[in-house]
PDB file of all heavy atoms in Angstrom:
ATOM      1  N   ILE T  85     101.275  68.110  41.380  1.00  0.00           N
ATOM      2  CA  ILE T  85     101.010  67.469  40.085  1.00  0.00           C
ATOM      3  C   ILE T  85     101.291  65.974  40.155  1.00  0.00           C
ATOM      4  O   ILE T  85     100.524  65.156  39.613  1.00  0.00           O
ATOM      5  CB  ILE T  85     101.858  68.138  38.986  1.00  0.00           C
ATOM      6  CG1 ILE T  85     101.334  69.567  38.739  1.00  0.00           C
ATOM      7  CG2 ILE T  85     101.826  67.325  37.700  1.00  0.00           C
ATOM      8  CD1 ILE T  85     102.226  70.418  37.865  1.00  0.00           C
ATOM      9  N   GLU T  86     102.358  65.597  40.830  1.00  0.00           N
ATOM     10  CA  GLU T  86     102.662  64.166  40.981  1.00  0.00           C
ATOM     11  C   GLU T  86     101.517  63.431  41.673  1.00  0.00           C
ATOM     12  O   GLU T  86     101.152  62.312  41.277  1.00  0.00           O
ATOM     13  CB  GLU T  86     103.953  63.981  41.789  1.00  0.00           C
ATOM     14  CG  GLU T  86     105.218  64.385  41.068  1.00  0.00           C
ATOM     15  CD  GLU T  86     106.438  64.256  41.956  1.00  0.00           C
ATOM     16  OE1 GLU T  86     106.293  63.974  43.164  1.00  0.00           O
ATOM     17  OE2 GLU T  86     107.549  64.443  41.441  1.00  0.00           O
ATOM     18  N   LEU T  87     100.968  64.043  42.696  1.00  0.00           N
ATOM     19  CA  LEU T  87      99.865  63.411  43.425  1.00  0.00           C
ATOM     20  C   LEU T  87      98.657  63.208  42.514  1.00  0.00           C
ATOM     21  O   LEU T  87      98.032  62.145  42.527  1.00  0.00           O
ATOM     22  CB  LEU T  87      99.482  64.268  44.634  1.00  0.00           C
ATOM     23  CG  LEU T  87      98.352  63.718  45.519  1.00  0.00           C
ATOM     24  CD1 LEU T  87      98.710  62.334  46.065  1.00  0.00           C
ATOM     25  CD2 LEU T  87      98.049  64.678  46.664  1.00  0.00           C
ATOM     26  N   LEU T  88      98.345  64.207  41.701  1.00  0.00           N
ATOM     27  CA  LEU T  88      97.259  64.062  40.733  1.00  0.00           C
ATOM     28  C   LEU T  88      97.546  62.925  39.769  1.00  0.00           C
ATOM     29  O   LEU T  88      96.658  62.148  39.406  1.00  0.00           O
ATOM     30  CB  LEU T  88      97.068  65.360  39.947  1.00  0.00           C
ATOM     31  CG  LEU T  88      96.419  66.536  40.673  1.00  0.00           C
ATOM     32  CD1 LEU T  88      96.389  67.758  39.767  1.00  0.00           C
ATOM     33  CD2 LEU T  88      94.995  66.183  41.105  1.00  0.00           C
ATOM     34  N   GLY T  89      98.824  62.841  39.348  1.00  0.00           N
ATOM     35  CA  GLY T  89      99.211  61.771  38.443  1.00  0.00           C
ATOM     36  C   GLY T  89      99.030  60.400  39.056  1.00  0.00           C
ATOM     37  O   GLY T  89      98.479  59.480  38.432  1.00  0.00           O
ATOM     38  N   LYS T  90      99.464  60.257  40.281  1.00  0.00           N
ATOM     39  CA  LYS T  90      99.312  58.974  40.975  1.00  0.00           C
ATOM     40  C   LYS T  90      97.846  58.590  41.123  1.00  0.00           C
ATOM     41  O   LYS T  90      97.481  57.424  40.956  1.00  0.00           O
ATOM     42  CB  LYS T  90      99.980  59.043  42.357  1.00  0.00           C
ATOM     43  CG  LYS T  90     101.493  59.126  42.327  1.00  0.00           C
ATOM     44  CD  LYS T  90     102.033  59.253  43.743  1.00  0.00           C
ATOM     45  CE  LYS T  90     103.534  59.439  43.762  1.00  0.00           C
ATOM     46  NZ  LYS T  90     104.060  59.601  45.139  1.00  0.00           N
ATOM     47  N   GLN T  91      97.013  59.579  41.424  1.00  0.00           N
ATOM     48  CA  GLN T  91      95.588  59.310  41.586  1.00  0.00           C
ATOM     49  C   GLN T  91      94.950  58.851  40.275  1.00  0.00           C
ATOM     50  O   GLN T  91      93.912  58.196  40.278  1.00  0.00           O
ATOM     51  CB  GLN T  91      94.890  60.572  42.098  1.00  0.00           C
ATOM     52  CG  GLN T  91      95.247  60.919  43.539  1.00  0.00           C
ATOM     53  CD  GLN T  91      94.735  62.284  43.959  1.00  0.00           C
ATOM     54  OE1 GLN T  91      94.255  63.070  43.132  1.00  0.00           O
ATOM     55  NE2 GLN T  91      94.847  62.589  45.251  1.00  0.00           N
ATOM     56  N   ASN T  92      95.590  59.210  39.165  1.00  0.00           N
ATOM     57  CA  ASN T  92      95.088  58.807  37.849  1.00  0.00           C
ATOM     58  C   ASN T  92      95.934  57.703  37.213  1.00  0.00           C
ATOM     59  O   ASN T  92      95.869  57.485  36.002  1.00  0.00           O
ATOM     60  CB  ASN T  92      95.023  60.029  36.925  1.00  0.00           C
ATOM     61  CG  ASN T  92      93.904  60.974  37.312  1.00  0.00           C
ATOM     62  OD1 ASN T  92      92.754  60.778  36.933  1.00  0.00           O
ATOM     63  ND2 ASN T  92      94.228  62.010  38.087  1.00  0.00           N
ATOM     64  N   ASN T  93      96.727  57.034  38.053  1.00  0.00           N
ATOM     65  CA  ASN T  93      97.486  55.843  37.656  1.00  0.00           C
ATOM     66  C   ASN T  93      98.568  56.106  36.615  1.00  0.00           C
ATOM     67  O   ASN T  93      98.884  55.234  35.800  1.00  0.00           O
ATOM     68  CB  ASN T  93      96.531  54.752  37.135  1.00  0.00           C
ATOM     69  CG  ASN T  93      95.535  54.327  38.198  1.00  0.00           C
ATOM     70  OD1 ASN T  93      95.906  54.096  39.350  1.00  0.00           O
ATOM     71  ND2 ASN T  93      94.274  54.233  37.815  1.00  0.00           N
ATOM     72  N   PHE T  94      99.159  57.298  36.656  1.00  0.00           N
ATOM     73  CA  PHE T  94     100.304  57.554  35.795  1.00  0.00           C
ATOM     74  C   PHE T  94     101.565  57.009  36.467  1.00  0.00           C
ATOM     75  O   PHE T  94     101.715  57.083  37.691  1.00  0.00           O
ATOM     76  CB  PHE T  94     100.434  59.052  35.502  1.00  0.00           C
ATOM     77  CG  PHE T  94      99.413  59.540  34.518  1.00  0.00           C
ATOM     78  CD1 PHE T  94      98.173  59.992  34.950  1.00  0.00           C
ATOM     79  CD2 PHE T  94      99.678  59.528  33.149  1.00  0.00           C
ATOM     80  CE1 PHE T  94      97.223  60.429  34.046  1.00  0.00           C
ATOM     81  CE2 PHE T  94      98.730  59.954  32.236  1.00  0.00           C
ATOM     82  CZ  PHE T  94      97.501  60.409  32.675  1.00  0.00           C
ATOM     83  N   LEU T  95     102.470  56.492  35.640  1.00  0.00           N
ATOM     84  CA  LEU T  95     103.620  55.754  36.161  1.00  0.00           C
ATOM     85  C   LEU T  95     104.918  56.544  36.150  1.00  0.00           C
ATOM     86  O   LEU T  95     105.875  56.182  36.829  1.00  0.00           O
ATOM     87  CB  LEU T  95     103.823  54.480  35.327  1.00  0.00           C
ATOM     88  CG  LEU T  95     102.619  53.543  35.207  1.00  0.00           C
ATOM     89  CD1 LEU T  95     102.945  52.402  34.260  1.00  0.00           C
ATOM     90  CD2 LEU T  95     102.215  53.021  36.572  1.00  0.00           C
ATOM     91  N   LEU T  96     104.954  57.622  35.363  1.00  0.00           N
ATOM     92  CA  LEU T  96     106.225  58.277  35.090  1.00  0.00           C
ATOM     93  C   LEU T  96     106.035  59.785  35.025  1.00  0.00           C
ATOM     94  O   LEU T  96     105.014  60.270  34.529  1.00  0.00           O
ATOM     95  CB  LEU T  96     106.746  57.772  33.735  1.00  0.00           C
ATOM     96  CG  LEU T  96     108.174  58.107  33.316  1.00  0.00           C
ATOM     97  CD1 LEU T  96     109.177  57.432  34.251  1.00  0.00           C
ATOM     98  CD2 LEU T  96     108.406  57.648  31.882  1.00  0.00           C
ATOM     99  N   SER T  97     107.022  60.521  35.529  1.00  0.00           N
ATOM    100  CA  SER T  97     107.007  61.973  35.428  1.00  0.00           C
ATOM    101  C   SER T  97     108.310  62.437  34.787  1.00  0.00           C
ATOM    102  O   SER T  97     109.393  61.961  35.141  1.00  0.00           O
ATOM    103  CB  SER T  97     106.863  62.595  36.821  1.00  0.00           C
ATOM    104  OG  SER T  97     106.842  64.002  36.741  1.00  0.00           O
ATOM    105  N   LEU T  98     108.187  63.363  33.831  1.00  0.00           N
ATOM    106  CA  LEU T  98     109.345  63.888  33.104  1.00  0.00           C
ATOM    107  C   LEU T  98     109.347  65.408  33.158  1.00  0.00           C
ATOM    108  O   LEU T  98     108.294  66.041  33.168  1.00  0.00           O
ATOM    109  CB  LEU T  98     109.313  63.456  31.635  1.00  0.00           C
ATOM    110  CG  LEU T  98     109.467  61.978  31.307  1.00  0.00           C
ATOM    111  CD1 LEU T  98     109.219  61.754  29.821  1.00  0.00           C
ATOM    112  CD2 LEU T  98     110.848  61.476  31.683  1.00  0.00           C
ATOM    113  N   MET T  99     110.531  65.978  33.160  1.00  0.00           N
ATOM    114  CA  MET T  99     110.673  67.427  33.021  1.00  0.00           C
ATOM    115  C   MET T  99     112.003  67.738  32.360  1.00  0.00           C
ATOM    116  O   MET T  99     112.917  66.902  32.334  1.00  0.00           O
ATOM    117  CB  MET T  99     110.545  68.135  34.371  1.00  0.00           C
ATOM    118  CG  MET T  99     111.639  67.815  35.357  1.00  0.00           C
ATOM    119  SD  MET T  99     111.530  68.835  36.865  1.00  0.00           S
ATOM    120  CE  MET T  99     110.170  68.074  37.731  1.00  0.00           C
ATOM    121  N   LEU T 100     112.120  68.941  31.813  1.00  0.00           N
ATOM    122  CA  LEU T 100     113.311  69.376  31.100  1.00  0.00           C
ATOM    123  C   LEU T 100     113.895  70.585  31.812  1.00  0.00           C
ATOM    124  O   LEU T 100     113.179  71.553  32.083  1.00  0.00           O
ATOM    125  CB  LEU T 100     112.927  69.754  29.663  1.00  0.00           C
ATOM    126  CG  LEU T 100     114.070  69.966  28.666  1.00  0.00           C
ATOM    127  CD1 LEU T 100     114.710  68.633  28.296  1.00  0.00           C
ATOM    128  CD2 LEU T 100     113.546  70.680  27.411  1.00  0.00           C
ATOM    129  N   ILE T 101     115.205  70.544  32.112  1.00  0.00           N
ATOM    130  CA  ILE T 101     115.843  71.647  32.818  1.00  0.00           C
ATOM    131  C   ILE T 101     117.176  71.970  32.140  1.00  0.00           C
ATOM    132  O   ILE T 101     117.963  71.080  31.824  1.00  0.00           O
ATOM    133  CB  ILE T 101     116.082  71.300  34.305  1.00  0.00           C
ATOM    134  CG1 ILE T 101     114.746  71.039  35.016  1.00  0.00           C
ATOM    135  CG2 ILE T 101     116.833  72.423  35.014  1.00  0.00           C
ATOM    136  CD1 ILE T 101     114.892  70.617  36.467  1.00  0.00           C
ATOM    137  N   ASP T 102     117.424  73.245  31.929  1.00  0.00           N
ATOM    138  CA  ASP T 102     118.686  73.743  31.378  1.00  0.00           C
ATOM    139  C   ASP T 102     119.847  73.164  32.205  1.00  0.00           C
ATOM    140  O   ASP T 102     119.808  73.182  33.435  1.00  0.00           O
ATOM    141  CB  ASP T 102     118.672  75.277  31.462  1.00  0.00           C
ATOM    142  CG  ASP T 102     119.861  75.930  30.779  1.00  0.00           C
ATOM    143  OD1 ASP T 102     120.949  75.342  30.754  1.00  0.00           O
ATOM    144  OD2 ASP T 102     119.694  77.067  30.292  1.00  0.00           O
ATOM    145  N   THR T 103     120.882  72.691  31.518  1.00  0.00           N
ATOM    146  CA  THR T 103     122.010  72.071  32.220  1.00  0.00           C
ATOM    147  C   THR T 103     122.721  73.051  33.151  1.00  0.00           C
ATOM    148  O   THR T 103     123.422  72.631  34.076  1.00  0.00           O
ATOM    149  CB  THR T 103     123.039  71.515  31.225  1.00  0.00           C
ATOM    150  OG1 THR T 103     123.482  72.572  30.350  1.00  0.00           O
ATOM    151  CG2 THR T 103     122.451  70.385  30.396  1.00  0.00           C
ATOM    152  N   GLU T 104     122.553  74.353  32.929  1.00  0.00           N
ATOM    153  CA  GLU T 104     123.221  75.352  33.766  1.00  0.00           C
ATOM    154  C   GLU T 104     122.324  75.884  34.878  1.00  0.00           C
ATOM    155  O   GLU T 104     122.761  76.716  35.688  1.00  0.00           O
ATOM    156  CB  GLU T 104     123.727  76.503  32.890  1.00  0.00           C
ATOM    157  CG  GLU T 104     124.793  76.052  31.884  1.00  0.00           C
ATOM    158  CD  GLU T 104     125.344  77.211  31.079  1.00  0.00           C
ATOM    159  OE1 GLU T 104     124.919  78.364  31.306  1.00  0.00           O
ATOM    160  OE2 GLU T 104     126.211  76.961  30.221  1.00  0.00           O
ATOM    161  N   ASN T 105     121.078  75.408  34.918  1.00  0.00           N
ATOM    162  CA  ASN T 105     120.140  75.873  35.946  1.00  0.00           C
ATOM    163  C   ASN T 105     120.294  75.003  37.190  1.00  0.00           C
ATOM    164  O   ASN T 105     119.508  74.098  37.460  1.00  0.00           O
ATOM    165  CB  ASN T 105     118.708  75.816  35.413  1.00  0.00           C
ATOM    166  CG  ASN T 105     117.710  76.477  36.347  1.00  0.00           C
ATOM    167  OD1 ASN T 105     117.976  76.688  37.522  1.00  0.00           O
ATOM    168  ND2 ASN T 105     116.533  76.798  35.825  1.00  0.00           N
ATOM    169  N   LEU T 106     121.329  75.296  37.952  1.00  0.00           N
ATOM    170  CA  LEU T 106     121.683  74.439  39.087  1.00  0.00           C
ATOM    171  C   LEU T 106     120.636  74.455  40.191  1.00  0.00           C
ATOM    172  O   LEU T 106     120.436  73.449  40.884  1.00  0.00           O
ATOM    173  CB  LEU T 106     123.046  74.867  39.645  1.00  0.00           C
ATOM    174  CG  LEU T 106     124.218  74.817  38.650  1.00  0.00           C
ATOM    175  CD1 LEU T 106     125.517  75.207  39.340  1.00  0.00           C
ATOM    176  CD2 LEU T 106     124.342  73.442  38.012  1.00  0.00           C
TER     177      LEU T 106
END
Side-chain angles (χ1 to χ4, degrees):
I85 291 170
E86 289 176 353
L87 181 58
L88 287 177
K90 291 177 184 178
Q91 290 171 350
N92 288 277
N93 299 314
F94 285 89
L95 305 175
L96 191 65
S97 180
L98 294 172
M99 65 173 76
L100 192 72
I101 298 177
D102 187 328
T103 57
E104 296 183 1
N105 189 342
L106 301 182

